[in-house]
Amino acid sequence: ATVLVAVFALGQQTAAQSLTFSLFERYLGALRDQAGIPGMAAAIVQNGDIVWDRGFGLAKIDGAIPVTRNTPFAVNDLTQTVASSLVLRRCVDSGNALLDDLLIRWSPTFPDRTATFRQVLSHTSASGFAYSRTRFSGLGRAVEECTGSPFAITMVQEVLDRFMEDAVPGADVLPGSGSEVRLLISTQKLNSYIATLQRIAVPYRVDANRRATASDYRVPLLGATDGLVASANDLARLDAALDAGAIVRRATLDEAWKRQGVSPMGLGWFVQVVGGHQVKWHFGQASGAYSSLIIKVPAEHTTLILLANSDGLSAPFPLANGDVTVSPFARIFFSLLG
């Protein structure tokens, strides 16, 4: 009898969850329409499992190719969350560096000679907080010094090969890119990456009347701030690995998810309290091309991942100021949590 009650209760919980996700999906779809986003991939991870995922709209308008959970997108600034994990894993956890060491020891051309790993990871300097992709990019050289390998190769070996299926380390893999990475990756793997890039969601520029025009955006070479191409499924798998301690030590991750002084960020992530929930999040944006959003609520073991082939997820909102609640996409997710 006890078993039957438990099964019945589980059935009720599953039904309620399905109803909640169905409502969330409707609101999310409506927001996508309002923003004029041609295509969007979404996934929710709970306790390491993908419990809900959907493709909305089109990855390519010409040909009416739909978005799926495996559609690759340029994730832009979300690359920072992966790069910060590599910095923590290969420089800090390995014992090569301390968070308060000067970055210039590992990145000799870095322009701020007084900046520490901690400051650059949290987008801070002696003058306070200022979100700067250019400054953050100096961490790529530091990873190279800590590993003795090109940054893109470390990304491939430590992240893509272990946790991702539809991910590409930037334009480095393309013929004529000039990247040394092509010399260090097998022909078979290069061909696989190039095939994945051929499936990437086409980037679109959307005008005030929500008319979409294909953008001339090109995926850049991989660095600490940009260049990663991945699907929602890839990022979900990576999220589960991060939470499981498979990338960064738990104690280091706890430090990464604390606000650092005056910054609204931890180490590579924005950190915020929303409705009583501790939230870790980040966004990506390529103007007139792509946008992305990831929101983690560790206490609920829940993560939302959104990828879009226009800038509508982030460009209309001042997310770089450190408040994710300015995004209506974030607000409907928080209403799902209650």
Side-chain angles (χ1 to χ4, degrees), residues 25 32 38-43 52-58 66-71 73 232 307:
E25 181 178 333
R32 180 189 72 87
M40 183 172 71
W52 174 87
D53 64 90
R54 289 292 183 276
F56 297 83
L58 300 175
V67 172
T68 73
R69 63 186 287 191
N70 296 313
T71 299
F73 290 78
L307 305 175

Side-chain angles (χ1 to χ4, degrees), residues 2-311:
T2 303
V3 173
L4 289 175
V5 170
V7 170
F8 178 70
L10 179 62
Q12 285 185 315
Q13 184 180 26
T14 302
Q17 188 178 58
S18 297
L19 182 61
T20 301
F21 285 152
S22 176
L23 187 61
F24 176 69
E25 181 178 333
R26 284 170 48 197
Y27 282 127
L28 197 59
L31 282 176
R32 180 189 72 87
D33 289 340
Q34 291 171 20
I37 296 172
M40 183 172 71
I44 292 177
V45 183
Q46 285 184 336
N47 298 306
D49 294 320
I50 300 174
V51 295
W52 174 87
D53 64 90
R54 289 292 183 276
F56 297 83
L58 300 175
K60 184 178 182 181
I61 295 174
D62 182 16
I65 298 174
V67 172
T68 73
R69 63 186 287 191
N70 296 313
T71 299
F73 290 78
V75 304
N76 309 113
D77 306 65
L78 290 196
T79 307
Q80 292 184 35
T81 65
V82 186
S84 65
S85 294
L86 291 179
V87 171
L88 296 174
R89 175 183 175 87
R90 301 297 278 151
C91 294
V92 178
D93 281 352
S94 67
N96 287 315
L98 300 174
L99 283 171
D100 293 313
D101 283 349
L102 295 178
L103 182 61
I104 199 166
R105 287 182 55 194
W106 285 266
S107 187
T109 60
F110 194 72
D112 183 351
R113 304 185 66 84
T114 66
T116 65
F117 277 92
R118 187 187 304 274
Q119 287 175 322
V120 179
L121 283 164
S122 60
H123 288 272
T124 55
S125 66
S127 58
F129 169 75
Y131 185 81
S132 171
R133 300 174 77 197
T134 301
R135 198 161 180 268
F136 197 95
S137 66
L139 291 166
R141 176 65 186 277
V143 171
E144 292 179 343
E145 289 295 316
C146 290
T147 63
S149 297
F151 178 78
I153 292 299
T154 300
M155 178 81 82
V156 167
Q157 294 175 343
E158 303 275 339
V159 178
L160 273 62
D161 283 352
R162 296 175 66 201
F163 308 114
M164 294 181 159
E165 297 174 345
D166 300 291
V168 179
D172 301 67
V173 303
L174 295 174
S177 68
S179 172
E180 63 180 322
V181 171
R182 282 186 53 82
L183 303 176
L184 301 172
I185 295 178
S186 70
T187 299
Q188 181 181 6
K189 185 173 288 187
L190 283 173
N191 289 338
S192 176
Y193 286 147
I194 291 169
T196 298
L197 285 177
Q198 291 172 346
R199 297 191 292 108
I200 196 171
V202 173
Y204 290 99
R205 187 178 301 278
V206 178
D207 66 19
N209 295 315
R210 295 188 294 181
R211 289 188 297 253
T213 305
S215 168
D216 60 1
Y217 173 89
R218 296 292 181 268
V219 174
L221 297 175
L222 182 67
T225 58
D226 201 355
L228 179 63
V229 172
S231 67
N233 182 53
D234 284 326
L235 294 179
R237 287 157 55 91
L238 183 62
D239 177 76
L242 185 64
D243 285 349
I247 304 175
V248 179
R249 286 191 310 162
R250 186 74 248 177
T252 307
L253 196 58
D254 288 343
E255 181 65 21
W257 286 347
K258 293 178 183 176
R259 287 184 64 149
Q260 302 293 313
V262 299
S263 176
M265 299 193 71
L267 305 177
W269 292 82
F270 287 91
V271 179
Q272 188 175 356
V273 177
V274 179
H277 297 288
Q278 286 281 345
V279 174
K280 328 298 177 186
W281 63 277
H282 214 300
F283 73 99
Q285 181 181 321
S287 295
Y290 291 104
S291 53
S292 50
L293 184 65
I294 182 168
I295 304 172
K296 295 179 61 61
V297 187
E300 302 292 331
H301 306 287
T302 301
T303 301
L304 171 70
I305 297 159
L306 297 176
L307 305 175
N309 60 350
S310 79
D311 60 16

